[in-house]
Amino acid sequence: MREDRKRANISWAEGLPNKGVLEMCDFSLQSVRSRPAKVDDKLVTRDFGTGTRGFAAADDLGLAVCVMPGTELAFAGEVSCLPAGLLGWRTKTVNHQTAIFRQVNKDKLAAHHDALEFPDGQTVLLTALSEDQAATVLQLPARPATAAEADAQKRVTCVG
């Protein structure tokens, strides 16, 4: 069983072939059906009930769509985030409609990693976004030309 889980946790961002490999987005979504993002995909922010939010296919809300670091996204409107902090009763709005998917906190095991970087440099965790926001995949990241680029595109994987 443990070996099966390890195989399921192999990240497609590492350049491994996609055929026959179960793909996984964030570790907390390991029990959710998933597939890799494609250009022109219509996505929706969704709480999968696993302790985190992610992107779902607009036509199948039970299907998580795994986004590679460097992927460019366009939202249908301004991006709204969940209220935060002690006095967090107002929804925060990001005044941009485009973002680049990033992974942060890569050195921390028990942390959310999926984030969006907006044109002004602001980074927001994907799990902090409000649900039901529509986005479209504009562009996937270019194939890495150097080891540093490959490392930047590698998704955090947790095998336990």
Side-chain angles (χ1 to χ4, degrees), residues 109-131:
L109 183 62
H112 291 287
H113 300 107
D114 295 349
L116 296 172
E117 180 184 341
F118 293 94
D120 62 1
Q122 179 181 192
T123 301
V124 176
L125 288 173
L126 186 56
T127 197
L129 267 55
S130 300
E131 277 193 275

Side-chain angles (χ1 to χ4, degrees), residues 22 81 102 129:
L22 293 175
C81 303
R102 302 283 188 213
L129 267 55

Side-chain angles (χ1 to χ4, degrees), residues 15-138:
L16 296 174
N18 197 10
K19 280 189 177 175
V21 176
L22 293 175
E23 298 193 12
M24 186 180 80
C25 300
D26 187 78
F27 181 72
S28 58
L29 294 176
Q30 71 178 1
S31 63
V32 178
R33 288 181 307 118
S34 64
R35 67 163 175 81
K38 301 176 296 223
V39 172
D40 291 327
D41 267 348
K42 304 299 183 210
L43 309 176
V44 177
T45 54
R46 173 130 165 91
D47 185 334
F48 288 97
T50 60
T52 192
R53 282 185 172 76
F55 286 114
D59 59 352
D60 183 355
L61 296 179
L63 179 67
V65 177
C66 302
V67 180
M68 253 175 71
T71 299
E72 295 180 28
L73 301 159
F75 285 83
E78 290 180 332
V79 179
S80 69
C81 303
L82 297 172
L86 292 174
L87 302 174
W89 55 274
R90 290 178 49 188
T91 300
K92 176 183 166 188
T93 301
V94 178
N95 295 316
H96 299 283
Q97 293 181 318
T98 59
I100 298 174
F101 182 84
R102 302 283 188 213
Q103 285 212 308
V104 297
N105 304 318
K106 286 184 171 187
D107 57 331
K108 296 179 183 173
L109 183 62
H112 291 287
H113 300 107
D114 295 349
L116 296 172
E117 180 184 341
F118 293 94
D120 62 1
Q122 179 181 192
T123 301
V124 176
L125 288 173
L126 186 56
T127 197
L129 267 55
S130 300
E131 277 193 275
D132 300 322
Q133 296 183 82
T136 301
V137 176
L138 295 178

